[in-house]
Amino acid sequence: MEVRWDAAVSGSRFWSEQPPVEPPMIAASNHGWIDVRVWPFGILADSRIERPIMLELGDGFTLRDVINGLEARCGAEFLDGMLDGKGELISHCRVFVDGRMIERLEQPVPSGPQADVEIILLVATEGG
Amino acid sequence: MNTAAPEFAVAADDAWVPSSCSLCYGSCSILAHRVDGVVVKIEGNPESVVGKGKLCGKGVSGIMTHYDPNRLTKPLRRTNPKKGLGEDPGWKEISWDEALSELAEVLKKVRQDDPRKLVVQRTTTVTAGRTPFQTFAAAFGTPNFSVSGGGQHCGNGAHLISGIMHASWSVVPDFAYCNYAMYFGASKGHAAGHASCSNMGLAADARARGMKMVVVDPMANFAGAKATEWVPLRVGTDAALAMSMANVMVNELGMVDRPYLQARTNSPYLIGPDKRYVRDPESKKPLVWDTAANAARPFSEVAAADMALEGEFFANGVKCQPAFMKLKEHLLKFTPEWGESVSTVPAKNIRRLACEFATEARIGSTIMVDGVTLPYRPVAAVAFRGNQGHMNSTYNFFAVDLLNQLVGAADVVGSCLGFNPASKGFPETGRPRYVPTADEDGLMVTGMWMGYHYPYPAAEPRMPKNLGLQDLFVMGMTSPFLNSIDQEELWQKFEVPYRPEVLINFGANLMMSIGTSEVVAKSLERYKFIASFDLFLTETSQFADIVLPDASYLQSTDSRSNFPFIFSLPGGMGEWCWPIRQEVVPLDGEQRRFSEVLLDLADRVGMRADLNAAYNASMNLQTPYRLEGDNAYTFPEICDLELKNNFGPERGLEWFKEHGLIKWKKQPEEVYWRPFVDVRVPVYWEFMVSMWEKINAICEPRGVKIPQEYYDPLPDFLPCRSHLCQKSGFDFYAFYYRDTIHTNSFTMENPWLDEAAELDPFSYYVAIHAEVGKKKGLHDGQLVWVESEAGRKVKGRIRLTQAVHPEGLGIAACAGHWGKGMPVARGKGVFFNELLELDFDHVSPNNLNLDLCVKVRVTPVEV
Ligand code: SF4
């Protein structure tokens, strides 16, 4: 019997199920403002910029807010290695907020009254 | 030499220690038998999926590398400031403190000045070096990371395209179910490489079960010798053969898997006259022709079964055709007769192979695996090093994979599989979990990768800031421009604002592994400082300022000896397996483990916090297992945190040292993930159109010509330099192949492997076709010169054989050492790479792959 390739499997929720242990979510702050400490590492850790860079962002801030804050504080050049031509995070730029990896710029970042944002560019290319 | 370790040499010491091999990047699981502090035997670990209890000849011989009396035991400093081929460095023994103090001072200065002036390079042989050196480079702040010849010769095409089409580093037949495998310049399951020993067992079982194996290769060696059918072809013409087969399948037989093409590829996407997708004006999504609505609609809003694959339509004010139609028409020019003229494979054979492949695919069939009904396509076309080591690297590989895509034989039962592209993780923790996702165009983005820039979507080409120019040539993974003759000219043209000054080398012998030694030597001479971690004094360490004596794999710890799973864990059903590498014997003399030396260096340079952050990111460590601040963790502590992070607090390094590995069952939805994940792969590479425009916009004003045909969305046959050579008397296409007996240039020093290679009829010889050789008056064993068009020459002894294409000339491995630091290896075999030019003209302007075939003439050595 000929079966359409895309009809052999249907309705499986295999990949939509969540992992058994999710890293703990930290409740959002009620204070309205969050003290964000940004830690640039590696090539982003320009000796002219003191680490951490302190930003004050609104509750439920996104990574985009962090980027905008960094641009205002350190200049557009600082973002050069982090963003691609379309203004999106390049794939080898890794951002962790309070130890959790954040992949999308528009993703609201869960945090407490204070947040630590770590940014590093990993090695882009590797063969072999 | 490495001697019995006193602290282990107690009467009760008789242990089998589970660990991982490191004689090649296969990283098979081993059991090392230690008696009274001495390793007396190495066997495969039957508990492990990696190797499945078996080792190759190199694996069992590892003991001889470990105990080699020529191993380095003390740090060395050169006293002769002059560097060059044949220069004696005048080595002087120094202490580790002296060595690291000097190196740290150099690194501090360069980091302060411009961290990009540091180049970090590692060998591909030792996978344990990957994470420590990548994290060191990231923490230091340099984008200049290289994997020397092992990377450059091997994977620019194979890995990139396996990533784009199968979300994995490489591809392999689903041995347990495949009935018809076609190999194009590949040896998976028959020689060295990814999941080598596991695949050898799986391939042998598959052949015994009746899997037909067709091997397309200029030489019938490891895979060809075991094939049902060997198809010899002219070197570097794989794309011509594959495209002709595709033409037969599509235009003569009409045997394609339409539902697959509709649902899981970009075949239905409408292509306009500018070769680009026709997009919905509002959502910007690619349009397809909805046959139910008789209108163009965004692909995400149309049922796959209603998407037109053929025809001509009008949408957004332009005439357009589905990508599949474009492909179908494009294929027409690749007639089997044309294919024969290029590849020398007879047209009737091309038709037969195409028919066999399409018929054996059993389009439309399903099969049940572990209670899950899945598409069943028991054919696979796989390619690797031989196929893609050419100017036409990208298309040679792409064309072969099209055969799979046309019949839906991609990541389903029996088909061409990526190595483990989707994992739900260890059941108790759900880690490591990864699965491909779709971008806005619906195309597949891999869930896991070896570097941190994924193969798709490609980065935006820009003025390069890295020395390999991959910022500009974004399809390139590894680059020859760190060593090419024209590197300075290119850096000037592309206004690279700095030059390399310091090289940290980990075990790579690039003097032998990249191209002609004269050119590589020049590139090394220009470094102000080189530090090299080595087991032996190699031809490359002769250029170093400081040589650091490394530990062997039997003296080392590594928490991820077989991770990522896309690299060297066998594909197909079975088990997930996470083994470690651990110390079997202690260090000898003043040898130190590179992983710990790098931590020491980071402290001396004052970048521990950066290194900790890089490890957190690289290993994706989660609280509470993250490295904090600038705390000075030891390497075993980092390994312990990674293992607990992935497998729970009770399974740290000590647990793994006792058990060696952890494994759990693979599920059909992981192995055959394609039907379950809504992603498409591109049979039409639309992204190449704008990529070329952007690259060309940078190159053209700088006088660098980038031929547009290398960036067409559909594959083509593009000749190598060797195919264009008209010089009289130059009538062989020379190529090299990876010998199963050896790994790169490294194992030539191993006396057991050397002995095996001496007994092998081909390992140290130059193979040419018997009839052709006889016509030239050459005889078996005769000493000859093999000379390139450019006048580069190597010497070797002739082996006359039926098992090579009449126009081919095959040389094994990366042999021909001349350095005194590896006396067993010295003078053995033929140094093929000496024939390779190392400049922009011999590099694919698409993916920067070096052209690895050379037109040569053969003349007797006068005695
Ligand atoms: S295939 Fe590689 S890793 Fe496996 S035993 Fe052989 S040399 Fe060791």
Side-chain angles (χ1 to χ4, degrees):
Chain A
M1 185 183 67
E2 285 244 339
V3 179
R4 274 192 65 86
W5 198 93
D6 49 346
V9 167
S10 61
S12 170
R13 291 181 40 76
F14 186 86
W15 286 107
S16 53
E17 286 164 9
Q18 287 307 305
V21 181
E22 266 283 85
M25 298 282 282
I26 302 165
S29 151
N30 295 321
H31 302 81
W33 292 99
I34 294 162
D35 292 325
V36 179
R37 298 190 297 186
V38 183
W39 302 84
F41 291 109
I43 200 164
L44 300 171
D46 191 315
S47 55
R48 289 162 300 174
I49 297 166
E50 205 178 320
R51 196 160 72 183
I53 302 163
M54 302 298 297
L55 301 174
E56 200 177 59
L57 298 174
D59 215 353
F61 71 93
T62 65
L63 204 48
R64 177 83 68 193
D65 298 325
V66 176
I67 299 290
N68 292 342
L70 287 174
E71 186 174 7
R73 179 71 58 83
C74 311
E77 207 177 286
F78 183 79
L79 307 178
D80 194 38
M82 294 173 61
L83 304 180
D84 65 16
K86 296 180 200 147
E88 295 299 323
L89 213 56
I90 57 173
S91 60
H92 58 282
C93 178
R94 295 296 154 95
V95 182
F96 290 81
V97 179
D98 292 331
R100 289 188 56 185
M101 192 157 87
I102 305 289
E103 287 174 76
R104 286 179 300 109
L105 286 178
E106 315 306 339
Q107 193 176 333
V109 177
S111 94
Q114 197 177 49
D116 281 295
V117 178
E118 295 167 55
I119 310 176
I120 189 161
L121 290 187
L122 292 175
V123 173
T125 50
E126 161 93 329
Chain B
M1 72 176 275
N2 279 42
T3 49
E7 56 268 57
F8 284 88
V10 292
D13 183 41
D14 184 339
W16 286 88
V17 184
S19 189
S20 301
C21 181
S22 192
L23 270 281
C24 87
Y25 53 68
S27 302
C28 296
S29 298
I30 60 170
L31 289 172
H33 191 192
R34 190 188 63 221
V35 177
D36 297 340
V38 179
V39 181
V40 296
K41 191 160 196 289
I42 299 172
E43 292 185 1
N45 183 352
E47 285 300 305
S48 178
V49 172
V50 190
K52 300 188 189 234
K54 300 182 179 67
L55 299 181
C56 77
K58 293 167 293 191
V60 295
S61 306
I63 202 168
M64 299 303 282
T65 294
H66 173 77
Y67 287 114
D68 190 322
N70 299 300
R71 281 225 4 231
L72 290 162
T73 54
K74 293 210 162 75
L76 301 175
R77 202 202 185 292
R78 87 181 293 123
T79 54
N80 177 5
K82 195 147 180 269
K83 294 180 183 177
L85 269 169
E87 281 294 336
D88 180 355
W91 295 120
K92 176 182 98 173
E93 289 181 359
I94 56 171
S95 70
W96 270 97
D97 191 50
E98 283 174 280
L100 294 188
S101 297
E102 184 176 354
L103 177 55
E105 278 313 305
V106 169
L107 290 175
K108 265 197 235 170
K109 270 198 202 111
V110 87
R111 193 166 188 244
Q112 185 83 34
D113 172 21
D114 186 340
R116 297 172 300 181
K117 292 181 177 177
L118 171 68
V119 176
V120 178
Q121 174 171 262
R122 74 170 184 92
T123 169
T124 55
T125 305
V126 182
T127 55
R130 195 176 73 87
T131 305
F133 280 94
Q134 280 187 348
T135 50
F136 189 88
F140 192 85
T142 179
N144 294 311
F145 189 85
S146 163
V147 276
S148 188
Q152 238 174 80
H153 286 204
C154 161
N156 269 328
H159 301 315
L160 182 96
I161 299 159
S162 297
I164 294 173
M165 308 302 272
H166 297 272
S168 183
W169 198 243
S170 292
V171 289
V172 72
D174 183 13
F175 287 117
Y177 294 95
C178 184
N179 291 334
Y180 190 96
M182 273 194 91
Y183 279 48
F184 290 78
S187 58
K188 292 268 151 58
H190 303 84
H194 309 106
S196 176
C197 285
S198 321
N199 279 342
M200 284 195 243
L202 290 166
D205 289 348
R207 293 193 309 268
R209 178 177 54 79
M211 180 183 84
K212 185 170 179 187
M213 237 186 75
V214 177
V215 172
V216 177
D217 201 302
M219 193 162 176
N221 41 30
F222 312 110
K226 296 182 178 66
T228 325
E229 179 178 353
W230 169 45
V231 180
L233 88 172
R234 179 175 287 145
V235 175
T237 60
D238 304 59
L241 173 60
M243 295 300 281
S244 300
M245 284 178 63
N247 182 24
V248 173
M249 285 156 64
V250 172
N251 288 311
E252 294 187 14
L253 303 171
M255 292 175 79
V256 294
D257 189 341
R258 287 172 183 272
Y260 169 75
L261 295 171
Q262 288 171 314
R264 288 293 186 267
T265 72
N266 69 349
S267 296
Y269 291 12
L270 293 174
I271 308 297
D274 60 356
K275 297 188 177 179
R276 291 175 161 85
Y277 296 145
V278 181
R279 292 179 182 272
D280 179 55
E282 275 170 30
S283 67
K284 304 288 179 235
K285 285 193 188 298
L287 294 172
V288 298
W289 191 260
D290 182 346
T291 54
N294 207 22
R297 297 176 61 206
F299 76 93
S300 50
E301 294 172 18
V302 182
D306 294 331
M307 293 179 181
L309 288 178
E310 296 184 42
E312 191 166 272
F313 307 98
F314 208 72
N316 279 10
V318 293
K319 254 196 211 162
C320 47
Q321 289 180 312
F324 178 72
M325 189 72 195
K326 289 279 179 206
L327 172 63
K328 189 174 176 186
E329 289 178 355
H330 173 77
L331 287 172
L332 284 169
K333 69 177 178 182
F334 304 105
T335 63
E337 288 69 26
W338 171 87
E340 176 175 348
S341 73
V342 176
S343 70
T344 73
V345 179
K348 70 173 189 329
N349 286 359
I350 296 177
R351 284 198 170 84
R352 175 178 54 80
L353 292 168
C355 184
E356 285 175 6
F357 190 83
T359 306
E360 292 282 357
R362 303 188 189 195
I363 295 166
S365 61
T366 59
I367 191 170
M368 192 178 276
V369 176
D370 282 6
V372 182
T373 301
L374 295 153
Y376 177 49
R377 300 288 181 276
V379 295
V382 300
F384 196 41
R385 221 290 283 149
N387 155 293
Q388 56 91 74
H390 299 278
M391 294 285 285
N392 195 30
S393 177
T394 305
Y395 290 154
N396 268 348
F397 201 92
F398 182 15
V400 170
D401 194 57
L402 262 185
L403 301 175
N404 299 313
Q405 302 299 335
L406 286 170
V407 296
D411 302 298
V412 294
V413 185
S415 74
C416 176
L417 299 181
F419 284 73
N420 310 298
S423 164
K424 228 174 174 185
F426 179 59
E428 288 177 31
T429 60
R431 295 176 60 82
R433 179 189 168 108
Y434 58 90
V435 64
T437 53
D439 74 347
E440 300 97 44
D441 287 348
L443 297 192
M444 181 179 73
V445 181
T446 183
M448 175 61 67
W449 200 236
M450 298 291 288
Y452 297 97
H453 163 58
Y454 288 1
Y456 176 87
E460 289 278 297
R462 60 173 183 166
M463 283 293 281
K465 294 193 176 163
N466 58 357
L467 297 165
L469 311 184
Q470 298 101 321
D471 287 339
L472 172 61
F473 298 99
V474 292
M475 296 288 280
M477 288 165 57
T478 55
S479 162
F481 302 135
L482 285 167
N483 307 98
S484 68
I485 188 81
D486 49 3
Q487 55 176 199
E488 181 55 39
E489 190 189 329
L490 290 165
W491 292 336
Q492 282 184 22
K493 277 186 177 156
F494 294 114
E495 300 158 41
V496 177
Y498 63 94
R499 295 293 178 270
E501 289 187 3
V502 180
L503 172 69
I504 293 184
N505 177 53
F506 171 61
N509 191 0
L510 63 163
M511 279 296 293
M512 294 191 67
S513 67
I514 296 181
T516 191
S517 58
E518 177 201 356
V519 172
V520 179
K522 290 267 173 292
S523 73
L524 290 175
E525 283 167 32
R526 70 180 292 166
Y527 282 102
K528 288 185 184 162
F529 196 89
I530 299 177
S532 192
F533 293 81
D534 283 303
L535 293 177
F536 304 98
L537 273 179
T538 69
E539 287 72 9
T540 301
S541 39
Q542 295 294 340
F543 287 75
D545 294 275
I546 284 181
V547 175
L548 303 170
D550 197 15
S552 87
Y553 70 111
L554 295 173
Q555 298 163 307
S556 302
T557 300
D558 178 15
S559 53
R560 41 170 49 195
S561 62
N562 201 254
F563 189 77
F565 298 140
I566 60 165
F567 185 72
S568 209
L569 184 76
M573 290 298 288
E575 289 163 313
W576 297 102
C577 186
W578 185 298
I580 65 154
R581 179 174 290 115
Q582 64 173 308
E583 293 153 43
V584 180
V585 284
L587 297 166
D588 196 51
E590 292 181 29
Q591 292 157 350
R592 284 186 69 186
R593 300 175 188 95
F594 69 85
S595 48
E596 284 159 26
V597 174
L598 290 177
L599 298 176
D600 188 343
L601 258 183
D603 289 334
R604 289 171 188 254
V605 174
M607 51 175 240
R608 180 59 93 122
D610 300 79
L611 191 63
N612 285 348
Y615 268 111
N616 284 334
S618 182
M619 292 177 161
N620 198 7
L621 300 178
Q622 305 284 320
T623 307
Y625 304 114
R626 289 175 70 75
L627 310 186
E628 301 288 343
D630 59 359
N631 291 354
Y633 299 92
T634 63
F635 193 69
E637 282 170 348
I638 296 172
C639 292
D640 184 58
L641 287 167
E642 178 180 37
L643 294 166
K644 287 175 176 164
N645 181 63
N646 285 330
F647 301 106
E650 68 282 17
R651 296 191 192 91
L653 186 57
E654 285 311 309
W655 187 94
F656 270 88
K657 279 186 170 178
E658 187 186 337
H659 296 87
L661 54 94
I662 196 162
K663 50 186 182 173
W664 63 99
K665 199 172 174 315
K666 286 183 180 175
Q667 301 186 59
E669 292 91 340
E670 294 174 304
V671 176
Y672 308 117
W673 58 278
R674 283 299 295 283
F676 301 93
V677 182
D678 191 11
V679 297
R680 294 168 180 269
V681 297
V683 297
Y684 180 97
W685 287 15
E686 191 247 12
F687 56 86
M688 295 268 256
V689 179
S690 61
M691 187 185 287
W692 177 81
E693 288 170 356
K694 288 171 190 164
I695 293 172
N696 196 50
I698 293 172
C699 290
E700 199 170 41
R702 292 170 175 82
V704 179
K705 189 170 159 32
I706 305 299
Q708 197 168 2
E709 64 263 29
Y710 278 87
Y711 286 85
D712 200 79
L714 293 167
D716 207 336
F717 169 72
L718 302 170
C720 294
R721 300 269 157 221
S722 61
H723 297 126
L724 305 174
C725 170
Q726 301 291 330
K727 219 166 165 183
S728 160
F730 287 76
D731 42 14
F732 286 107
Y733 293 93
F735 62 95
Y736 84 91
Y737 57 93
R738 290 186 173 175
D739 195 353
T740 42
I741 298 173
H742 284 301
T743 302
N744 303 332
S745 63
F746 159 57
T747 55
M748 303 275 160
E749 171 63 13
N750 186 304
W752 288 356
L753 297 174
D754 173 57
E755 196 177 329
E758 293 273 17
L759 295 170
D760 185 276
F762 295 102
S763 284
Y764 291 156
Y765 284 78
V766 175
I768 59 172
H769 194 273
E771 298 309 315
V772 177
K774 278 180 200 148
K775 269 193 203 139
K776 286 184 175 292
L778 299 170
H779 60 83
D780 214 39
Q782 186 172 0
L783 196 59
V784 294
W785 287 110
V786 178
E787 184 185 353
S788 75
E789 217 190 335
R792 302 196 191 276
K793 281 169 137 184
V794 292
K795 216 188 263 182
R797 289 198 183 276
I798 286 287
R799 176 66 71 220
L800 296 177
T801 173
Q802 300 289 331
V804 67
H805 188 279
E807 296 173 12
L809 181 148
I811 292 175
C814 186
H817 283 267
W818 62 88
K820 293 182 187 151
M822 297 170 76
V824 177
R826 196 171 178 206
K828 305 283 173 60
V830 183
F831 181 25
F832 172 85
N833 289 345
E834 183 74 332
L835 300 170
L836 295 177
E837 298 306 313
L838 208 46
D839 58 28
F840 191 83
D841 284 348
H842 291 82
V843 169
S844 159
N846 180 289
N847 71 7
L848 303 184
N849 211 85
L850 195 64
D851 195 357
L852 301 180
C853 62
V854 193
K855 206 75 185 285
V856 295
R857 74 173 164 197
V858 175
T859 50
V861 171
E862 306 290 342
V863 279

